[in-house]
Amino acid sequence: MTKKRDSSKVQAEPRPKRGLRVQLPANLLLFPAILVTFVLGALVSPTFLTPANIVQNIGSSSAPLALLSLGVMLIMLTANFDLSLQSTIGFAPMVAALLMTPVSFGGTGLELNPYLGLVLALVIGAAISAFNGFLVVKIGLNGFMVTLAMLIVVSGLTLGFSNGQTLSPLPKPFTYLGNEQWAGIPVSVWLVGFLALILGGFLRFHRAGRAIYAIGGNLNAARASGIRVDAIRLGVYVVGGALAALAGVVTSGITSAVTASQGNNTIFSAFAAVVIGGVSLNGGKGTVLGVLMGVLLLGSITNVLTLAQVSSFWIDACYGVVILLALLVGRIGGKENA
């Protein structure tokens, strides 16, 4: 005799979720888009795939955006953000340039040592974001409003200190990172690669790096587990500000000048690179490799549009379309960017 199965003890098998969901490694989702961009670039201009264009134009011009995007990523991993990083790109090198250049070139005449000027720029960037972090983490103010206000304040200070003028020329040591090459590759590209390795290793293997993901994933659980939540949240603000200032120094090196409008609208490109690179807006998810691939995609698109002689006014619109497409691809691929 066959035993009858007790239907009450039979567990229902989970039904597959409806909708198209193809699980892909998050870091590989941008490869098809980059490949398509490169194919289109090759069709638009025969110079696109030349090493000089890829290394010198795409690599060098994308380096400041990569540095800024890494800073944005760090802060976003803790479910926060800092809009004022954009104004730091202009303000930090502007103050340093004012103290380094003689009066005849628009400076204060103090003629500060360029190496000290470089360090000063990084300290200024870190200090601005540290102040933002203090207001957000310790005082509990809204991060969006605080950093938006600071963006306006710092941009106004840049215009006020410079009188809206461009400072140039700058001392060679100050422009070295954005204007020199090692083995035919811009120093700025080497710098991005080095910092990306350091940051990627820190996030993956160091206890504090893993704590950043834990804080972004669940703040209360991270605090209950003994993680020094406030210190780490303040720390990512400081590092993010220093990276933004470094992006400003590299930008000044590329142009051999500091303009009063330096960095304007850059934060939107950085957010675009970070989001399409797979960093969650809710914190706790994202990788350095994904962000760098987002930067590469945006840099390639910009280069293709430039070679196609498309007006720069259309580039921002293209960035918006890319973000929307990335969100759709992320949805299909199982990511949760929003």
Side-chain angles (χ1 to χ4, degrees):
M1 297 178 63
T2 59
K3 296 182 179 179
K4 293 183 179 181
R5 297 179 63 186
D6 187 352
S7 59
S8 63
K9 294 182 179 179
V10 177
Q11 296 181 351
E13 295 182 358
R15 296 180 179 179
K17 295 182 180 178
R18 294 181 178 179
L20 178 60
R21 282 183 176 273
V22 180
Q23 295 295 333
L24 294 174
N27 291 332
L28 298 180
L29 288 175
L30 287 182
F31 269 121
I34 294 175
L35 182 61
V36 170
T37 304
F38 271 59
V39 171
L40 290 176
L43 295 175
V44 168
S45 173
T47 61
F48 178 79
L49 290 180
T50 58
N53 181 60
I54 294 175
V55 176
Q56 302 295 338
N57 295 333
I58 298 177
S60 178
S61 62
S62 299
L65 177 60
L67 294 171
L68 177 63
S69 299
L70 291 176
V72 171
M73 179 201 73
L74 262 183
I75 299 173
M76 280 183 60
L77 285 177
T78 61
N80 288 305
F81 51 86
D82 188 350
L83 299 176
S84 70
L85 295 179
Q86 169 179 294
S87 52
T88 299
I89 292 178
F91 181 72
M94 177 62 78
V95 172
L98 285 170
L99 297 176
M100 291 186 298
T101 53
V103 176
S104 57
F105 293 131
T108 60
L110 185 62
E111 299 190 27
L112 182 71
N113 184 291
Y115 296 103
L116 291 178
L118 176 60
V119 174
L120 176 64
L122 300 182
V123 171
I124 290 174
I128 293 173
S129 288
F131 182 68
N132 291 338
F134 174 78
L135 293 179
V136 174
V137 176
K138 294 295 185 182
I139 307 299
L141 299 182
N142 181 275
F144 178 82
M145 296 307 299
V146 166
T147 57
L148 177 62
M150 188 58 69
L151 181 152
I152 298 172
V153 169
V154 177
S155 296
L157 291 175
T158 305
L159 289 171
F161 286 154
S162 65
N163 291 320
Q165 298 180 349
T166 298
L167 289 185
S168 178
L170 301 175
K172 190 173 181 178
F174 193 79
T175 62
Y176 185 85
L177 294 176
N179 206 20
E180 296 295 332
Q181 297 183 2
W182 291 345
I185 298 175
V187 174
S188 57
V189 176
W190 288 106
L191 178 65
V192 170
F194 174 75
L195 292 179
L197 284 175
I198 297 296
L199 185 58
F202 172 78
L203 290 173
R204 184 174 180 84
F205 299 110
H206 197 277
R207 182 178 180 182
R210 295 193 295 271
I212 290 175
Y213 287 101
I215 292 172
N218 191 320
L219 180 65
N220 293 328
R223 197 185 299 278
S225 64
I227 295 175
R228 300 175 61 189
V229 172
D230 289 352
I232 291 178
R233 293 173 73 195
L234 280 172
V236 296
Y237 270 101
V238 171
V239 176
L243 287 172
L246 186 58
V249 171
V250 171
T251 302
S252 301
I254 294 174
T255 59
S256 298
V258 185
T259 64
S261 61
Q262 183 166 294
N264 283 1
N265 298 327
T266 313
I267 193 69
F268 301 114
S269 300
F271 272 109
V274 170
V275 171
I276 65 177
V279 178
S280 172
L281 294 173
N282 298 319
K285 295 181 181 177
T287 63
V288 171
L289 179 59
V291 172
L292 292 183
M293 292 187 65
V295 172
L296 175 61
L297 176 60
L298 294 184
S300 302
I301 292 174
T302 303
N303 189 258
V304 171
L305 294 177
T306 302
L307 292 175
Q309 298 182 346
V310 175
S311 171
S312 60
F313 297 113
W314 291 100
I315 293 179
D316 289 341
C318 292
Y319 282 0
V321 173
V322 169
I323 295 174
L324 292 175
L325 291 176
L327 292 174
L328 291 173
V329 172
R331 178 65 176 174
I332 294 173
K335 294 192 300 180
E336 296 178 356
N337 290 334

